[in-house]
Amino acid sequence: MMVRKSILLIFVVCLWTTEIFSQPFQLKLIDSKSHTPVSFATVLFTDLITKTEYFKISDEKGLVINPCKNSSQVKISCIGYNTVSDTISAAGNNEITLLPTIFSLNEVVVTGSFKPQSADKSIYNIKVIDHRKIEEKASNNLQDILSNQVNITITQDPQLGSSLRIKGLTGNNVKILIDGVPVIGRMGGNIDLSQLSLYNVDHVEMVEGPMSVIYGSDALAGAINIITKENKNSNFGLTTNAYYESAGTYNIDGSLNLRRGRHSISVSGGRNFFGGFSTDTLRSELWKPKEQYNGDIYYMYTHDKAKIKYQLSYMSERLWDKGNLLEPRFYTAFDSWFYSKRLTNRLDYDRNLNNGLSVKMLASYSVYQRKKLTYIKDLSTLTEELSPNASDHDTTDFNALVYRLVLGKENPDNKLNYTLGVDINYEQGKGKRIAGNKQEIGDYAVFASLKYSPLETISLQPGLRMAYNSSFNVPPVPSINLKWQPLERFNLRASYARGYRAPNLKELYIYFVDVNHNIQPNENLKAEYGHNFDLNVSYDTEKNNKVHYSGIDFGTFYNNMHNIIQLAVRNNIGSSPVYQYINVLNFNTLGYQTALSYDYYPYLETALGFGQTGTYFSFDQKKQKLSDYKFTSDLSASIGWYIPLLKLKLSAYYKYTDKSWLFSVNEKNEISTGSMSAYHNLDLTLLRKFYSNRLILSTGVKNILNNTNINITGNVSDGAHTSSNGESPVSYGRLVFLKMSFTILK
């Protein structure tokens, strides 16, 4: 009897032991603040012995099975949380906590720095708009996501697109980059922000203030760097997006990502369509119909010490400028089609060398073409034929070559770090509207910066750029930056930089003439130069080290600019003025901005910002007084409310733009001052996620206050285009939108 009981006990113990060891070990992911499970996070397991990789997704309870039989390295990523890397054992269950991004200033940035680093550690004051904000605001392009920023003003031209001002300085002086490559194709001196789609963008980095040492010309007012997505975890990913607006916008895009070992391939593309809009009954529309196609493909190979990536990006847009019916029979009209194409080839190579050194190489070749074709449209037969007038058609081509080679040493444990670089920029333009049919300009530079940290809390970084320009004498461009962090969450940044910008090919040689514009170049333009001073103080805190977060940010600036390039009236032909680029001796801006934020995680996010910018504009040498400046203000506010029971995120975005001042120069170089009336804007969005976060639906109302045209007073114009009734267009009215995104990951 005892023998039977012993055998039975041994059998039960063996069965129990087998059951225990047959159970898969699990990894549990926890929110470090709310202590709730982190669902649908992506987890990459790498077996440390076999080097085999496994890709998993956590379930609704934050659990994910560990497939490795040996100790493994895990990399965990989830929208709204900092990425975590850790090493875990094969035996036993493990628990890892993830920190929500709103409690960390550790967004990794690359703008202005040699190696990726957290925004909090950067010596530059870098603002980051992450993918979560882009998603919650339902932004389609760069214009949408920047429209709510303090001290940034978006201006509209229904044909040339949207442009911006930062701290009073125009888009001519803002370097816009995609993954560090300058965007070419400025129309009227500005990049059309609506052409820069966000469908494959991870985040946007903004540096306000001169970046001329690092990025050369066109960076007087700062730099905006659009960082595209990279597939670093999933073996297979498929995403589709669809967007609809009641004003006649229909967008659709998608992406496919594949990863095998160290090799990654991504293909993405999309179509954006806008049917046009006008508040009157004329055939011509104020907001022109347009259709845009985008495509991107990249291949990336990663090694322990190196990465190489080739990327090809393409944008094609056609815009339809419908003409009004012609007298006397009113059945024919002149229609113009504008075709814009941009193609960018880019090659990146990064490698870590010995002794802490690293090398980074970037090479790109970009092509931009703008073509105009004019047709005589017969509305009675719906036929059309090309206009016989040769001046009604033209094609302008631009080619740009960029090469950057940077060698540097950046170790936070060292007191002394440095960066040395070579920067080559070459641009060529061809077309019948270009003086001589062909022009080119080259800028060849070397730059260096030295970062000295005598104490852990203080960093000082002087920099210098020496350049040769094929058309202008370039002076040495110096800068100096200071960062002081006396407390863990307190940062003070101060900087001085000399700004420099050589006139571009459009300002020097290109005639831009159509039914709404007549802009003449000027081969006698001088280069812009100036001095910039910036001071920024920020402080953030977590109450009780749990779910409360608050922050305050204050900055002030002064830009002392000379020979700023401005459009001026040279003469009038009927009711249409002829503009030409000229130099204005003094163009100074000064001001400040402050921002407050409070978050009660995960339920409430609030932000409030206020800024004021003063502008001084003159041809004289007199010393400026504060009373000589024309000041304008803006205020922005946002609130996000998460309702756990409904799994619904409600967001509202408000922007008040005060009366803004406009300056115009007539044929006698006399300055006229006018203003554009103040206006308010309010957007509301609702966002809900379904099916393990694979399906995201958002809807809402944009421009709730129904802004269309804003009054302009004074004998001035808003740029080179103003409507005949003294108004400037800002939007095509209130609209309802619906957006859907669906993702499959393996």
Side-chain angles (χ1 to χ4, degrees):
M1 187 71 176
M2 292 296 295
V3 174
R4 290 181 179 179
K5 288 183 178 180
S6 299
I7 294 174
L8 180 61
L9 179 61
I10 292 172
F11 176 76
V12 171
V13 170
C14 291
L15 184 65
W16 176 72
T17 305
T18 303
E19 179 68 20
I20 289 178
F21 282 99
S22 65
Q23 290 286 337
F25 294 115
Q26 293 181 324
L27 182 66
K28 187 172 185 179
L29 308 181
I30 299 293
D31 186 306
S32 65
K33 296 298 178 181
S34 64
H35 304 291
T36 57
V38 179
S39 306
F40 318 122
T42 60
V43 184
L44 176 65
F45 293 88
T46 304
D47 192 301
L48 295 178
I49 302 299
T50 66
K51 302 301 180 182
T52 306
E53 294 183 342
Y54 305 91
F55 179 77
K56 300 291 182 180
I57 297 179
S58 62
D59 62 18
E60 292 187 354
K61 297 180 181 180
L63 297 174
V64 59
I65 295 174
N66 181 359
C68 298
K69 297 181 180 179
N70 307 293
S71 295
S72 62
Q73 184 181 48
V74 293
K75 186 175 182 180
I76 307 165
S77 61
C78 185
I79 293 177
Y81 293 89
N82 287 342
T83 299
V84 173
S85 295
D86 202 354
T87 301
I88 61 173
S89 62
N93 296 321
N94 295 272
E95 183 175 290
I96 294 180
T97 60
L98 277 71
L99 179 67
T101 53
I102 67 168
F103 292 95
S104 174
L105 298 177
N106 292 327
E107 299 99 334
V108 175
V109 296
V110 296
T111 305
S113 61
F114 172 60
K115 296 178 68 175
Q117 60 180 323
S118 66
D120 186 44
K121 299 300 181 183
S122 175
I123 202 164
Y124 300 103
N125 183 30
I126 302 179
K127 296 180 180 179
V128 179
I129 303 175
D130 61 22
H131 179 69
R132 184 170 62 97
K133 288 297 181 185
I134 296 173
E135 183 180 79
E136 291 174 359
K137 204 171 186 295
S139 300
N140 293 297
N141 51 54
L142 190 60
Q143 171 192 338
D144 292 342
I145 200 61
L146 295 181
S147 60
N148 205 55
Q149 301 294 314
V150 172
N151 272 342
I152 292 183
T153 303
I154 306 293
T155 58
Q156 298 280 358
D157 186 304
Q159 184 169 300
L160 297 181
S162 54
S163 57
L164 78 162
R165 289 177 178 267
I166 293 182
K167 296 180 177 178
L169 297 179
T170 66
N172 272 336
N173 301 296
V174 181
K175 197 86 167 185
I176 298 180
L177 311 108
I178 299 178
D179 293 326
V181 176
V183 178
I184 67 170
R186 293 180 180 269
M187 301 307 300
N190 295 282
I191 297 293
D192 181 2
L193 305 183
S194 67
Q195 288 186 348
L196 304 179
S197 179
L198 300 180
Y199 76 104
N200 66 334
V201 169
D202 182 78
H203 66 277
V204 178
E205 301 175 6
M206 297 191 300
V207 183
E208 298 178 2
M211 296 293 290
S212 298
V213 169
I214 304 297
Y215 293 116
S217 194
D218 299 337
L220 282 171
I224 297 176
N225 198 2
I226 301 170
I227 309 300
T228 59
K229 296 176 183 177
E230 284 187 357
N231 175 33
K232 299 178 180 178
N233 296 320
S234 63
N235 292 326
F236 173 85
L238 178 65
T239 300
T240 61
N241 300 288
Y243 179 87
Y244 162 77
E245 276 182 5
S246 56
T249 297
Y250 303 87
N251 300 344
I252 187 168
D253 60 74
S255 63
L256 173 66
N257 300 299
L258 300 172
R259 181 175 178 271
R260 292 293 183 270
R262 300 182 183 274
H263 304 271
S264 297
I265 297 176
S266 175
V267 180
S268 56
R271 174 185 182 263
N272 301 330
F273 175 82
F274 172 59
F277 180 82
S278 190
T279 55
D280 54 41
T281 58
L282 297 175
R283 183 173 182 270
S284 63
E285 295 177 289
L286 179 61
W287 297 89
K288 314 300 181 186
K290 61 182 178 180
E291 184 179 35
Q292 182 186 113
Y293 290 90
N294 293 281
D296 289 88
I297 182 171
Y298 77 74
Y299 164 77
M300 181 170 65
Y301 175 81
T302 55
H303 193 265
D304 296 337
K305 292 187 177 182
K307 183 187 84 169
I308 186 168
K309 178 182 178 182
Y310 170 74
Q311 185 171 352
L312 178 67
S313 301
Y314 175 75
M315 186 282 299
S316 175
E317 179 186 87
R318 64 172 186 168
L319 182 145
W320 186 13
D321 187 3
K322 295 187 288 186
N324 290 322
L325 297 177
L326 301 173
E327 297 180 353
R329 301 180 65 180
F330 297 100
Y331 68 86
T332 59
F334 284 102
D335 287 1
S336 294
W337 285 91
F338 294 86
Y339 299 88
S340 300
K341 294 182 180 180
R342 182 184 293 115
L343 179 69
T344 301
N345 295 271
R346 166 197 170 97
L347 180 66
D348 272 308
Y349 177 73
D350 298 339
R351 183 172 181 84
N352 295 322
L353 305 175
N354 297 326
N355 302 319
L357 290 173
S358 298
V359 63
K360 180 179 178 66
M361 185 272 289
L362 181 153
S364 76
Y365 179 71
S366 303
V367 177
Y368 180 83
Q369 181 186 81
R370 184 172 174 88
K371 179 188 292 186
K372 175 188 175 184
L373 296 175
T374 302
Y375 295 85
I376 303 174
K377 182 84 172 184
D378 189 323
L379 276 301
S380 63
T381 61
L382 297 181
T383 59
E384 60 184 15
E385 60 180 19
L386 278 174
S387 169
N389 188 350
S391 63
D392 289 339
H393 321 285
D394 71 83
T395 300
T396 305
D397 294 286
F398 290 93
N399 305 308
L401 175 67
V402 174
Y403 178 81
R404 288 172 64 88
L405 180 65
V406 184
L407 176 70
K409 190 173 186 178
E410 192 160 331
N411 187 336
D413 296 328
N414 294 345
K415 289 187 176 182
L416 194 64
N417 293 284
Y418 61 86
T419 300
L420 303 172
V422 176
D423 193 7
I424 298 174
N425 293 268
Y426 171 82
E427 186 174 5
Q428 180 188 82
K430 296 184 293 184
K432 68 180 183 180
R433 294 196 183 269
I434 297 178
N437 296 327
K438 179 180 178 181
Q439 297 290 341
E440 59 186 19
I441 191 168
D443 191 273
Y444 315 97
V446 294
F447 61 91
S449 65
L450 187 69
K451 187 175 180 181
Y452 177 59
S453 304
L455 301 173
E456 187 177 349
T457 58
I458 297 177
S459 295
L460 185 68
Q461 180 174 300
L464 181 67
R465 183 184 184 93
M466 303 288 291
Y468 167 78
N469 188 285
S470 59
S471 300
F472 297 90
N473 293 323
V474 183
V477 178
S479 70
I480 186 166
N481 292 73
L482 170 69
K483 179 176 179 288
W484 179 42
Q485 191 176 17
L487 302 173
E488 180 182 359
R489 298 188 174 275
F490 178 89
N491 282 287
L492 182 147
R493 293 178 174 89
S495 67
Y496 159 77
R498 175 166 182 163
Y500 174 85
R501 186 179 81 88
N504 58 43
L505 290 178
K506 292 182 180 295
E507 295 162 335
L508 290 168
Y509 305 114
I510 297 180
Y511 296 83
F512 184 77
V513 182
D514 61 25
V515 67
N516 295 312
H517 309 83
N518 191 330
I519 303 174
Q520 307 293 310
N522 185 350
E523 296 185 31
N524 299 315
L525 288 173
K526 300 176 182 178
E528 300 176 349
Y529 69 95
H531 305 275
N532 170 273
F533 301 86
D534 265 87
L535 176 67
N536 180 267
V537 179
S538 62
Y539 179 74
D540 66 276
T541 182
E542 297 177 43
K543 294 183 179 179
N544 303 322
N545 198 31
K546 289 188 178 180
V547 295
H548 298 275
Y549 169 89
S550 59
I552 183 171
D553 185 284
F554 175 81
T556 184
F557 63 89
Y558 173 60
N559 296 307
N560 177 223
M561 307 303 303
H562 303 285
N563 291 335
I564 201 81
I565 297 173
Q566 170 83 12
L567 281 173
V569 176
R570 296 293 83 178
N571 55 69
N572 285 277
I573 301 176
S575 60
S576 300
V578 177
Y579 291 86
Q580 186 180 44
Y581 292 105
I582 66 167
N583 289 109
V584 177
L585 182 62
N586 294 305
F587 187 90
N588 299 344
T589 68
L590 57 82
Y592 65 91
Q593 71 277 336
T594 185
L596 303 170
S597 62
Y598 170 75
D599 298 303
Y600 176 49
Y601 180 77
Y603 309 105
L604 183 67
E605 296 179 9
T606 63
L608 177 67
F610 179 78
Q612 196 169 38
T613 300
T615 305
Y616 175 79
F617 189 79
S618 78
F619 286 94
D620 57 50
Q621 299 272 8
K622 76 173 186 177
K623 187 176 181 180
Q624 303 93 46
K625 299 178 295 184
L626 189 61
S627 58
D628 294 328
Y629 286 79
K630 299 288 187 180
F631 282 88
T632 187
S633 306
D634 62 346
L635 181 146
S636 71
S638 65
I639 182 170
W641 180 30
Y642 178 65
I643 307 172
L645 184 63
L646 303 175
K647 296 183 179 180
L648 185 70
K649 181 69 176 287
L650 170 65
S651 302
Y653 302 91
Y654 168 77
K655 177 74 177 286
Y656 168 71
T657 302
D658 195 9
K659 179 174 71 173
S660 53
W661 298 97
L662 304 172
F663 302 95
S664 183
V665 182
N666 64 19
E667 57 270 23
K668 298 180 181 179
N669 283 352
E670 297 171 337
I671 297 174
S672 298
T673 303
S675 63
M676 187 168 72
S677 299
Y679 63 98
H680 306 258
N681 188 68
L682 179 64
D683 299 336
L684 179 67
T685 68
L686 296 170
L687 186 144
R688 176 70 156 82
K689 298 182 179 181
F690 302 88
Y691 306 116
S692 305
N693 289 355
R694 290 193 294 268
L695 175 64
I696 302 174
L697 295 178
S698 60
T699 186
V701 184
K702 294 185 178 181
N703 193 11
I704 292 176
L705 303 179
N706 200 31
N707 296 303
T708 53
N709 299 326
I710 305 300
N711 291 331
I712 290 179
T713 60
N715 186 25
V716 296
S717 59
D718 182 18
H721 177 274
T722 302
S723 58
S724 59
N725 56 354
E727 296 179 333
S728 179
V730 296
S731 179
Y732 36 85
R734 184 185 303 112
L735 54 90
V736 178
F737 75 89
L738 176 65
K739 184 176 182 180
M740 180 189 73
S741 177
F742 184 71
T743 301
I744 299 174
L745 294 175
K746 289 185 178 180

